[in-house]
Amino acid sequence: MVVEGRWSVGEKLPELQLSEELGVSRTPVREAVNILAAEGLLVVRPRVGASIKVLRPKEVEQLFETAGAIEAAAARFAVDRASANELDRISAIHAKMVNRFERGERA
């Protein structure tokens, strides 16, 4: 929801509304908020709440570079350790994801 732009930059995230909408307690929502804050997408202020962080272009570039490096390493490890059957399964999942993305089903 954050990445898809559901909230504006600087807007406070409605934790209670999110927990109700997702059908979970506030604890998993808070955990997700903490993860997104650690990833640099949110700013958490005590007694105020979490809001969408303003990212400078250089920060966006660094995030994509870091994510790309991690994903490349994970792919190398997977290829080195996966069986042919597991690689076929990954390829099928990837094809399904591409198909849904092309149909506009990003979630």
Side-chain angles (χ1 to χ4, degrees), residues 1-84:
M1 293 173 186
V2 170
V3 173
E4 291 177 354
R6 182 167 173 180
W7 297 282
S8 302
V9 172
E11 184 177 353
K12 185 175 181 259
L13 296 183
E15 280 187 23
L16 182 58
Q17 177 186 338
L18 278 171
S19 65
E20 290 172 356
E21 183 178 329
L22 297 171
V24 297
S25 70
R26 291 178 76 177
T27 300
V29 172
R30 286 187 188 123
E31 289 174 7
V33 164
N34 289 332
I35 291 169
L36 291 171
E39 291 176 352
L41 296 173
L42 299 179
V43 175
V44 178
R45 292 183 180 89
R47 294 178 297 284
V48 175
S51 60
I52 307 298
K53 181 180 178 186
V54 176
L55 294 175
R56 298 184 318 262
K58 187 66 177 173
E59 289 176 301
V60 173
E61 181 181 338
Q62 291 170 342
L63 284 170
F64 277 107
E65 287 175 356
T66 302
I70 291 169
E71 290 171 1
R76 281 192 299 276
F77 289 136
V79 168
D80 290 344
R81 292 168 174 81
S83 68

